[in-house]
Amino acid sequence: MRRDPHSYADDSQVETASLALRARVDFASKTLAAEAQLVFARPGGGRLDLDTRDLAIERVVGPGGELRFTLHPAEPILGARLAIELPEGTPWVRVHYRTSPHASALQWLEPAQTAGGVQPYLFSQCQAIHARSVVPLQDTPRIRIRYEAELAIPRALKAVMAARKVERTETGDDAIERFEMPQPIPPYLFAFAVGDLAARDLGARSRVWAEPAMLERAAHEFSDTERMIAAAEELFGPYDWERFDILTMPPSFPYGGMENPRLTFITPTVIAGDRSLVSVIVHELAHSWTGNLVTNANAEHFWLNEGFTVYAERHLLEKLYGADHAALHAAIGRSSLEEDLARFHDRPELTRLRTHLAGVDPDDAYSQVPYEKGYAFLRALEQTAGQDAFTAWLRSWLREYRFRSATTEDFEAHVERALPGMLARVGAREWLDGAGLPANAPVPRSAQLAAVEALGSALPGDRELASWTPTEWELYLARMPRPAPEATLRALDGRLTASTNYEVLVAWLQLALESGYRAVVPRASEVLGTVGRMKYLRPLYTALASDPATRATARELFARHAASYHPIARQVIEGVLA
Ligand code: BES
Ligand code: ZN
């Protein structure tokens, strides 16, 4: 039976326990030439269905030699099923293949797209269902694998992986880098990057990687990392992944962060110079427990990853930076939720926490709903059960499902066992299976938050101008009614268009464009040519495209920059402009 709508993996077939990957990284052809050996938990026979996308399969072998296989025609969302015939008692298979230059998980950057400008760069981004474009495997988070990997790369470059580094050897123009991942992971956490990379230690178990030109600034920005790990351990128990390293990505990285185990990937847009955007690090760190240890069984239960992680993130923010700061984040989150509930107005079924995604691409379903509605639900549950009882429940949930995957039904059963009656009292059915935001959603409150909210579309006074943090600015801009008064926009322009804090800058540009204040079009165009983070591309392209006066500009900008955007970002913006 197939238990994940986004995978051909069938639970009546053999199950992969580990992967041994050897790949040659060829920047000239933008392909990996690779062999992947899949070792099964128990030897078996019959058919094995693997997920692939745009892979050229050359041969498949087992211990007894060549195996018969069929690569079926590609389905638009799932990709192509690779069906292999296994003789009884087969312990492993090895697939020899090449990736496509258009592999959806990979971005191949020209030297001009990097900070250094001299060397090319390659990185992967596998969540939710792109691992199959790099490795043929059972690409469902229901199955966890250990792996070892050997990457052949140009000698001038370094490779990093979300894994333990074993060794580097050099021969001629090549270097071979070897890694092993002793902790079993869902396939979407498979990750690597190759480029001109250097590292600096941040603490005993963390270091930051970046291109040399970025390294100092990154190390300064992320100096709180060790303190964050310690705070998270107090909340959740021991950190199970040995190291928490950070890779500062090139600007085209399509997400804010990605919780690849042992090596979180982070957009360079968080490097504001004043550490004001490090909540992204806190979030990815929190995934070390919620998501990486306890993993959504498939994308239909994505809120178990993200809602829990936002809940953990805000607890940690409170502990590290105070209750006011955490409340501002919660309020900003609530605004982004309202925005996405409106965006999904015509697809209310995607605003449930428990979703049904057969025939739906997880990248198209992506929104703030699993994050912020998930967060609000857990806060409602926390209020209903009481802080101590809820924290105890959370710890027992993490203990029971450690290194396993979970569904929303598992969650319901576990809460009901530990906190009987609580699901009914909080109205869990409506939260999980209803569209939109239930009326008992807790409202974030704090004095600092109330002061910002009280301003509405009035201009901040001298006291605010002198004291506001970027987070207060962000909330002020998010809460401003649209269209905002022209006088307000003109007064803000001088200060905000020059902002180097991307969250503030993009919130401002979005507000201005949505209010028809076109003086910011040049700055917005500049941003769209500099960064590829979807959180920024989507609102700016959407705002430009909805104003008839700037619709053509949106099209031109996309035509100019599409080639430098990540394949996933490109697809999303194509949807916005269609
Ligand atoms: N795991 C996500 C990123 C992701 C989700 C990638 C789904 C692909 C598919 C990551 O942990 C995340 O949530 N990143 C956020 C930042 C965070 C501070 C909310 C982002 O990228 O905006
Ligand atoms: Zn996340």
Side-chain angles (χ1 to χ4, degrees):
M1 182 179 144
R2 284 174 48 194
R3 296 212 286 159
D4 177 342
H6 299 116
S7 173
Y8 287 111
D10 186 316
D11 65 5
S12 67
Q13 302 178 0
V14 289
E15 191 165 297
T16 307
S18 67
L19 159 73
L21 178 73
R22 294 177 61 185
R24 171 165 295 275
V25 177
D26 181 20
F27 281 95
S29 64
K30 300 191 167 148
T31 61
L32 306 181
E35 36 184 273
Q37 182 187 36
L38 304 178
V39 181
F40 308 131
R42 271 173 297 283
R47 200 173 82 205
L48 168 63
D49 290 320
L50 298 181
D51 296 299
T52 76
R53 187 197 306 284
D54 297 330
L55 297 182
I57 307 296
E58 285 150 6
R59 358 178 348 227
V60 180
V61 301
E66 299 281 333
L67 296 176
R68 292 210 317 197
F69 68 90
T70 309
L71 184 62
H72 289 268
E75 294 284 330
I77 295 169
L78 274 88
R81 177 164 66 97
L82 174 62
I84 303 172
E85 300 300 330
L86 304 179
E88 269 323 304
T90 302
W92 56 263
V93 294
R94 193 167 61 236
V95 183
H96 298 246
Y97 67 99
R98 266 179 180 280
T99 62
S100 156
H102 308 290
S104 57
L106 300 180
Q107 190 175 17
W108 299 83
L109 298 177
E110 301 294 334
Q113 292 171 272
T114 66
V118 176
Q119 298 291 350
Y121 197 109
L122 167 66
F123 68 86
S124 69
Q125 165 54 48
C126 290
Q127 200 180 10
I129 54 168
H130 299 287
R132 63 194 64 178
S133 74
V134 182
V135 189
L137 40 54
Q138 293 168 306
D139 192 6
T140 172
R142 221 175 39 75
I143 295 180
R144 301 180 86 92
I145 53 167
R146 296 185 168 80
Y147 71 82
E148 52 189 53
E150 197 178 295
L151 301 180
I153 63 171
R155 188 188 186 125
L157 304 182
K158 285 209 171 61
V160 290
M161 280 197 100
R164 177 193 288 157
K165 171 78 176 277
V166 177
E167 62 170 6
R168 174 183 170 107
T169 55
E170 299 181 343
T171 48
D173 291 342
D174 287 344
I176 309 270
E177 302 234 22
R178 297 211 305 122
F179 301 87
E180 65 185 17
M181 187 58 188
Q183 292 95 357
I185 55 154
Y188 74 81
L189 292 177
F190 176 87
F192 69 98
V194 181
D196 180 12
L197 293 170
R200 268 218 10 212
D201 281 350
L202 297 168
R205 50 187 165 169
S206 63
R207 67 172 54 107
V208 60
W209 288 90
E211 285 192 72
M214 294 286 292
L215 189 58
E216 283 308 306
R217 290 201 297 140
H220 172 265
E221 205 77 19
F222 303 146
S223 62
D224 256 357
T225 304
E226 218 26 85
R227 217 160 68 84
M228 293 171 180
I229 304 172
E233 286 190 307
E234 265 179 59
L235 183 61
F236 288 142
Y239 181 73
D240 269 322
W241 305 88
E242 298 174 65
R243 296 198 56 88
F244 181 78
D245 295 339
I246 298 171
L247 176 64
T248 312
M249 303 302 288
S252 64
F253 186 59
Y255 291 97
M258 179 64 213
E259 66 272 26
N260 297 315
R262 291 166 163 267
L263 182 67
T264 271
F265 287 16
I266 293 286
T267 170
T269 61
V270 307
I271 303 178
D274 58 3
R275 304 181 179 132
S276 55
L277 301 177
V278 295
S279 63
V280 180
I281 306 283
V282 176
H283 177 97
E284 305 315 333
L285 171 64
H287 271 305
S288 305
W289 289 265
T290 49
N292 296 5
L293 276 187
V294 181
T295 305
N296 56 206
N298 62 54
E300 295 181 332
H301 309 283
F302 186 49
W303 80 277
L304 292 177
N305 277 22
E306 298 300 343
F308 273 73
T309 298
V310 173
Y311 173 86
E313 172 198 339
R314 301 225 167 108
H315 251 277
L316 292 172
L317 287 181
E318 180 166 345
K319 218 168 153 131
L320 290 161
Y321 306 111
D324 267 316
H325 187 72
L328 287 170
H329 274 272
I332 293 167
R334 176 63 66 87
S335 288
S336 69
L337 175 60
E338 305 286 351
E339 194 180 329
D340 272 0
L341 289 175
R343 183 160 69 85
F344 279 86
H345 181 266
D346 296 332
R347 303 185 75 183
E349 72 285 1
L350 293 181
T351 69
R352 301 175 183 185
L353 289 178
R354 174 167 31 207
T355 51
H356 302 286
L357 297 181
V360 180
D361 185 332
D363 288 337
D364 294 335
Y366 185 85
S367 79
Q368 290 302 304
V369 169
Y371 291 79
E372 296 295 345
K373 184 177 174 181
Y375 165 74
F377 175 44
L378 294 174
R379 286 301 297 256
L381 196 55
E382 177 187 55
Q383 279 177 11
T384 309
Q387 175 75 69
D388 291 346
F390 184 77
T391 304
W393 172 81
L394 181 57
R395 295 217 172 106
S396 81
W397 166 251
L398 294 176
R399 217 177 312 116
E400 176 154 344
Y401 280 92
R402 194 170 165 270
F403 287 112
R404 293 172 58 195
S405 67
T407 61
T408 306
E409 298 78 73
D410 294 326
F411 163 86
E412 291 175 297
H414 196 273
V415 178
E416 196 51 40
R417 232 179 305 129
L419 302 168
M422 224 45 81
L423 289 174
R425 271 180 60 194
V426 77
R429 269 297 148 122
E430 191 195 345
W431 276 96
L432 296 170
D433 298 316
L437 189 63
N440 68 339
V443 179
R445 283 188 215 289
S446 84
Q448 206 184 8
L449 171 55
V452 176
E453 283 175 335
L455 269 181
S457 57
L459 281 172
D462 289 341
R463 202 162 43 89
E464 284 89 7
L465 291 174
S467 71
W468 266 5
T469 60
T471 317
E472 287 165 293
W473 276 107
E474 234 188 284
L475 178 67
Y476 170 69
L477 294 168
R479 286 291 159 92
M480 178 120 22
R482 281 114 240 249
E486 160 111 33
T488 302
L489 295 167
R490 245 182 296 119
L492 292 174
D493 189 347
R495 184 179 189 106
L496 296 179
T497 304
S499 177
T500 50
N501 180 301
Y502 268 97
E503 289 294 328
V504 173
L505 176 63
V506 174
W508 156 245
L509 294 173
Q510 181 181 358
L511 169 69
L513 292 172
E514 287 175 359
S515 303
Y517 183 78
R518 300 197 189 101
V520 300
V521 171
R523 186 74 184 105
S525 307
E526 208 170 14
V527 169
L528 294 174
T530 315
V531 306
R533 183 174 174 185
M534 289 190 281
K535 182 179 182 188
Y536 303 150
L537 299 186
R538 187 203 293 280
L540 295 183
Y541 272 112
T542 303
L544 286 171
S546 6
D547 178 352
T550 51
R551 192 165 299 149
T553 307
R555 294 243 154 78
E556 279 158 32
L557 286 167
F558 185 64
R560 180 144 23 108
H561 301 305
S564 55
Y565 293 152
H566 189 279
I568 301 170
R570 207 180 302 144
Q571 189 187 321
V572 163
I573 303 309
E574 267 161 15
V576 166
L577 297 179

Short mmCIF file of all heavy atoms in Angstrom, two decimals, residues 283 287 306 371, ligand 2:
data_model
loop_
_atom_site.label_atom_id
_atom_site.label_comp_id
_atom_site.label_asym_id
_atom_site.label_seq_id
_atom_site.Cartn_x
_atom_site.Cartn_y
_atom_site.Cartn_z
N HIS A 283 14.66 29.17 14.95
CA HIS A 283 13.67 28.30 14.32
C HIS A 283 14.32 27.03 13.79
O HIS A 283 13.87 25.91 14.09
CB HIS A 283 12.96 29.08 13.21
CG HIS A 283 11.96 28.28 12.44
ND1 HIS A 283 10.61 28.29 12.72
CD2 HIS A 283 12.11 27.43 11.40
CE1 HIS A 283 9.98 27.48 11.90
NE2 HIS A 283 10.86 26.95 11.07
N HIS A 287 13.99 22.90 15.04
CA HIS A 287 13.67 21.73 14.21
C HIS A 287 14.52 20.50 14.57
O HIS A 287 14.15 19.37 14.23
CB HIS A 287 13.90 22.04 12.73
CG HIS A 287 12.73 22.62 12.01
ND1 HIS A 287 11.50 22.03 11.98
CD2 HIS A 287 12.62 23.76 11.26
CE1 HIS A 287 10.68 22.78 11.23
NE2 HIS A 287 11.34 23.83 10.79
N GLU A 306 6.16 22.27 11.34
CA GLU A 306 6.33 23.73 11.40
C GLU A 306 5.58 24.39 12.55
O GLU A 306 6.09 25.32 13.17
CB GLU A 306 5.97 24.35 10.06
CG GLU A 306 6.86 23.89 8.90
CD GLU A 306 8.34 24.21 9.08
OE1 GLU A 306 8.68 25.05 9.95
OE2 GLU A 306 9.16 23.60 8.38
N TYR A 371 2.45 26.85 9.87
CA TYR A 371 3.31 27.54 10.84
C TYR A 371 2.47 28.26 11.90
O TYR A 371 2.58 27.98 13.10
CB TYR A 371 4.15 28.61 10.13
CG TYR A 371 5.22 28.09 9.21
CD1 TYR A 371 4.89 27.64 7.93
CD2 TYR A 371 6.55 28.08 9.58
CE1 TYR A 371 5.87 27.19 7.06
CE2 TYR A 371 7.54 27.63 8.71
CZ TYR A 371 7.20 27.19 7.46
OH TYR A 371 8.17 26.73 6.61
ZN ZN B 2 10.58 25.47 9.72
#
